[in-house]
Amino acid sequence: MELSLLRSRTFAPLRPVSSPCHVRRPPSRTFFPPQPPPPSQEDSGCSRAVRTRQEWVGDWVRSNDTLVRGLPIFIGGISLLAVLLNRAVSGIAAVSDASSSQSRADILTLALSVTDILAGLVWLSIRPKSISPVLPRGVDCKRVDPDVSSSALHELLWAWDSLMAATCCKSLVVVYGGNCILQIGVAATSPEDGKAVNVDAQKFIQGSLYTSANESKKQSYLANLSLYPGRTELPFLPANTQALILQPIGDKGIAVIGGDTIRGFTNLDQAWIAMIADKLDATLSKS
């Protein structure tokens, strides 16, 4: 019986199992992260209003500098008078109730009032000194080494125009290869003939300013030139030059940049001048 039942059954043929290399994979999709929604008109209007308010407050503080500096004195004085008036009106004895909570609060208030008054006095006594440009005393000068190629001269004049337009630079002297290849801007006046003082390149190279800048290969910034004794090594610059930058140009030269304002060259100006020096070195080394 069992054998007959087994013979009567028909078995379905087995399907061949496909190899893993023929498995169909879904096409890859590029994932794009969700982008933030654009700012609405309300958000832009609020930010604009906050920025306008900050500018208004800054302008008001600048225009009322004395009042703002004396404001702590008024606040401290009014607080001091208020504490004394409250002490007189409340009827609390000055000695017998010295350990009470009211007395401790009055002492703290008096300390804060005195602190405000002292802060106001300090603000009024210490003010930042206003720094304004100084007109250089000298004559206009434009001297170029005749051996400089036309491409290098074009590059040097471009550097001068850029520095004069974007910074406080009023004098520029470029010493390269042991020679002064450019002297432009305001120069010191010669007492003999009233003309611009010539740059003695060899004497300048032997000085401490050139030596230190050439050895360090880094820019030297003299923010207040009047405080440095080395200014005697720069007789070709106006006597009232306020700031000075000594910028090495590769291994063969240096640029002397004189300004008309104390601390007039910003950090951005210094970095930009260093990039200009690299560009000049690439041009002068080929000429």
Side-chain angles (χ1 to χ4, degrees):
M1 176 70 68
E2 294 178 358
L3 293 175
S4 61
L5 289 174
L6 290 172
R7 291 173 182 176
S8 62
R9 292 179 181 178
T10 58
F11 296 93
L14 297 176
R15 296 181 179 178
V17 179
S18 59
S19 59
C21 60
H22 296 288
V23 177
R24 298 182 61 185
R25 298 178 181 178
S28 61
R29 298 179 180 179
T30 305
F31 175 74
F32 296 97
Q35 299 294 330
S40 61
Q41 295 182 355
E42 296 180 358
D43 296 338
S44 60
C46 292
S47 61
R48 192 181 302 109
V50 172
R51 188 162 52 251
T52 304
R53 184 178 180 181
Q54 292 176 351
E55 293 176 356
W56 179 83
V57 172
D59 294 338
W60 184 86
V61 170
R62 282 189 293 270
S63 59
N64 299 274
D65 181 71
T66 303
L67 176 61
V68 173
R69 290 178 181 275
L71 194 60
I73 297 178
F74 293 109
I75 295 176
I78 293 174
S79 302
L80 185 62
L81 292 176
V83 171
L84 296 177
L85 182 62
N86 178 59
R87 192 75 177 183
V89 173
S90 61
I92 302 175
V95 178
S96 60
D97 296 334
S99 61
S100 63
S101 59
Q102 181 65 35
S103 298
R104 291 194 294 269
D106 292 343
I107 292 174
L108 291 176
T109 307
L110 289 174
L112 293 176
S113 302
V114 172
T115 303
D116 286 341
I117 294 174
L118 293 177
L121 293 175
V122 171
W123 285 9
L124 288 175
S125 61
I126 301 177
R127 295 191 180 188
K129 184 179 179 181
S130 60
I131 300 175
S132 57
V134 176
L135 184 64
R137 294 193 302 267
V139 294
D140 293 333
C141 173
K142 184 178 180 181
R143 292 171 179 169
V144 182
D145 190 347
D147 296 334
V148 177
S149 62
S150 59
S151 59
L153 177 59
H154 178 75
E155 196 80 11
L156 290 169
L157 294 179
W158 167 82
W160 161 247
D161 292 336
S162 302
L163 291 173
M164 186 178 58
T167 66
C168 65
C169 174
K170 297 301 179 182
S171 305
L172 175 62
V173 174
V174 179
V175 178
Y176 194 84
N179 298 318
C180 178
I181 61 175
L182 179 65
Q183 182 185 8
I184 194 170
V186 183
T189 306
S190 175
E192 299 176 356
D193 53 4
K195 297 182 180 179
V197 176
N198 292 323
V199 178
D200 190 349
Q202 298 301 323
K203 185 177 179 180
F204 174 65
I205 290 174
Q206 296 173 2
S208 60
L209 292 177
Y210 181 90
T211 303
S212 60
N214 191 30
E215 290 178 354
S216 63
K217 305 298 180 185
K218 295 182 179 179
Q219 182 184 101
S220 179
Y221 178 33
L222 308 181
N224 190 354
L225 187 59
S226 61
L227 302 178
Y228 294 89
R231 63 175 302 167
T232 57
E233 302 177 10
L234 308 168
F236 46 85
L237 291 180
N240 61 340
T241 300
Q242 302 297 303
L244 182 74
I245 287 182
L246 297 172
Q247 175 61 53
I249 304 177
D251 298 331
K252 298 182 180 180
I254 193 172
V256 182
I257 304 171
D260 63 348
T261 308
I262 297 176
R263 295 185 293 274
F265 294 100
T266 63
N267 295 332
L268 183 61
D269 295 338
Q270 299 174 46
W272 183 54
I273 289 173
M275 296 178 64
I276 291 180
D278 294 338
K279 193 173 187 298
L280 290 177
D281 181 44
T283 303
L284 294 175
S285 60
K286 297 178 182 178
S287 60

